[in-house]
Amino acid sequence: TPDKIRHLLKGNMKWKYLFIQFHYLESSLVEIETHLSLLPATHEYEYEHTIIITKVLNYLKKTGQNAEYIQMLYKLHTLHLSLGNHVEAAQAVLDYANILPWDFSVSLPEDSDLQLPSESAFERRERLISGAIQLLSEGKYYEKALDIINKVLRPQYISQIKNFDQKDVLARAGKKLAEINAIELDLSKKLREKGHERFFEEYFLVEFGPKGFPKSVEGKTFICRGKVLEKLATFIQRLKSRYPKAEILQQRMPKDATNDDKVWIHVKICKPTTLPSFLATGKHS
């Protein structure tokens, strides 16, 4: 485990951290950052960016590097915004919010890079969640936005009203409840009104062959969400633009042909389904 590795390499900080990086990232952090800087921030390279950044986030979170973790979340948020992925950008903001406590006594400094003022941890978490709700609304994922309002924000304000007797705290909580009630009403109207029709994206299973691809995708399978109204043919065109030497297969390559030198990608439409409750919760009867 990483803890055992830290003990074995105690006293040699450089090798220790390099080994931990390879454990999580299969490369060094410097190499990954260089690779990211060379990848164009376009739709064709979206999946590679996301895969690499997600690996780095996992490494930074598990090694307790919160400042670097937040900066990398901001990079992921910015990437998704530039590509018009409002829902994914919202998730990056929520991941930042989730590492903060609901605590007015914890002070956080101004963050000029993220354009955040000096404020308490409670206020920052609240600010980030409100921003995520706005992004989810822009991405027309109204159900998720409503879920956050009712399961995350509302319980906090109700708890303050029940458990605090300071007038300023009660007044603030009451004001915030009124604000989220107004947002909830607006989101609920958008769900019902004809002027807010939503077009849902297709999902595609993308299986990369064992040869001829970057290490981040080679031999791996992904579920990719297409763009709004994007059909299979258009999605395949995007893949071909990114991997021009690959043959696109509608049928999976037979197992006994995997040693062939052919460079291939297997693509097909797939439909998301709701997990059975015992799988979603991890509780088995």
Side-chain angles (χ1 to χ4, degrees), residues 228-272:
V228 174
L229 297 178
E230 183 176 44
K231 298 303 180 185
L232 179 60
T234 309
F235 181 77
I236 286 174
Q237 285 179 347
R238 285 208 286 133
L239 275 179
K240 287 291 290 182
S241 175
R242 175 64 187 90
Y243 306 105
K245 295 181 180 180
E247 180 181 347
I248 306 297
L249 306 177
Q250 302 275 331
Q251 298 290 330
R252 192 182 188 282
M253 180 68 75
K255 287 186 177 181
D256 57 3
T258 54
N259 292 325
D260 199 344
D261 289 333
K262 185 181 290 186
V263 178
W264 57 269
I265 305 173
H266 171 222
V267 183
K268 70 175 183 179
I269 295 173
C270 59
K271 298 294 183 183

Side-chain angles (χ1 to χ4, degrees), residues 33-78:
E33 288 175 343
T34 301
H35 186 49
L36 275 175
S37 68
L38 295 174
L39 284 175
T42 61
H43 284 295
E44 290 79 13
Y45 291 83
E46 175 181 351
Y47 300 113
E48 280 194 83
H49 270 285
T50 304
I51 291 163
I52 294 170
I53 292 175
T54 301
K55 277 188 175 183
V56 175
L57 285 168
N58 181 53
Y59 157 72
L60 294 172
K61 189 173 185 179
K62 287 184 180 294
T63 53
Q65 301 180 60
N66 275 0
E68 293 81 0
Y69 177 75
I70 290 167
Q71 288 299 321
M72 191 57 68
L73 278 175
Y74 178 66
K75 183 176 289 189
L76 183 60
H77 163 265
T78 303

Side-chain angles (χ1 to χ4, degrees), residues 146 149-150 154 174-188:
L146 287 166
I149 286 172
N150 289 309
R154 192 182 305 281
K175 181 181 177 182
K176 290 294 182 180
L177 271 177
E179 288 176 4
I180 64 172
N181 285 341
I183 295 170
E184 181 184 31
L185 180 62
D186 180 60
L187 292 170
S188 299

Side-chain angles (χ1 to χ4, degrees), residues 164-221:
F164 291 85
D165 54 10
Q166 297 99 317
K167 288 184 179 180
D168 57 336
V169 174
L170 294 174
R172 184 184 188 280
K175 181 181 177 182
K176 290 294 182 180
L177 271 177
E179 288 176 4
I180 64 172
N181 285 341
I183 295 170
E184 181 184 31
L185 180 62
D186 180 60
L187 292 170
S188 299
K189 283 182 179 178
K190 287 178 179 177
L191 273 172
R192 297 191 302 267
E193 290 176 357
K194 289 185 178 180
H196 292 278
E197 290 92 350
R198 292 182 291 173
F199 300 96
F200 295 97
E201 303 87 347
E202 293 276 15
Y203 286 81
F204 305 97
L205 181 143
V206 181
E207 179 185 7
F208 289 88
K211 296 180 181 179
F213 297 101
K215 193 175 181 180
S216 58
V217 299
E218 191 172 77
K220 297 176 182 176
T221 302

Side-chain angles (χ1 to χ4, degrees), residues 78-223:
T78 303
L79 171 70
H80 282 310
L81 272 188
S82 70
L83 298 174
N85 302 332
H86 294 94
V87 174
E88 287 80 0
Q91 187 57 55
V93 175
L94 289 171
D95 287 343
Y96 178 11
N98 287 339
I99 67 173
L100 299 174
W102 288 109
D103 194 337
F104 282 109
S105 67
V106 176
S107 297
L108 298 176
E110 177 185 1
D111 190 327
S112 56
D113 291 336
L114 305 184
Q115 298 182 332
L116 296 169
S118 174
E119 57 193 343
S120 70
F122 188 106
E123 290 168 317
R124 177 141 324 159
R125 187 170 186 179
E126 181 182 64
R127 182 188 303 276
L128 291 168
I129 291 172
S130 296
I133 289 170
Q134 178 61 37
L135 286 169
L136 289 168
S137 178
E138 290 173 18
K140 298 186 178 181
Y141 195 175
Y142 307 127
E143 294 90 346
K144 178 70 172 178
L146 287 166
D147 195 52
I148 292 170
I149 286 172
N150 289 309
K151 293 184 179 179
V152 181
L153 290 180
R154 192 182 305 281
Q156 285 298 324
Y157 302 138
I158 291 175
S159 174
Q160 288 178 358
I161 290 172
K162 288 182 177 179
N163 299 317
F164 291 85
D165 54 10
Q166 297 99 317
K167 288 184 179 180
D168 57 336
V169 174
L170 294 174
R172 184 184 188 280
K175 181 181 177 182
K176 290 294 182 180
L177 271 177
E179 288 176 4
I180 64 172
N181 285 341
I183 295 170
E184 181 184 31
L185 180 62
D186 180 60
L187 292 170
S188 299
K189 283 182 179 178
K190 287 178 179 177
L191 273 172
R192 297 191 302 267
E193 290 176 357
K194 289 185 178 180
H196 292 278
E197 290 92 350
R198 292 182 291 173
F199 300 96
F200 295 97
E201 303 87 347
E202 293 276 15
Y203 286 81
F204 305 97
L205 181 143
V206 181
E207 179 185 7
F208 289 88
K211 296 180 181 179
F213 297 101
K215 193 175 181 180
S216 58
V217 299
E218 191 172 77
K220 297 176 182 176
T221 302
F222 303 92
I223 301 297

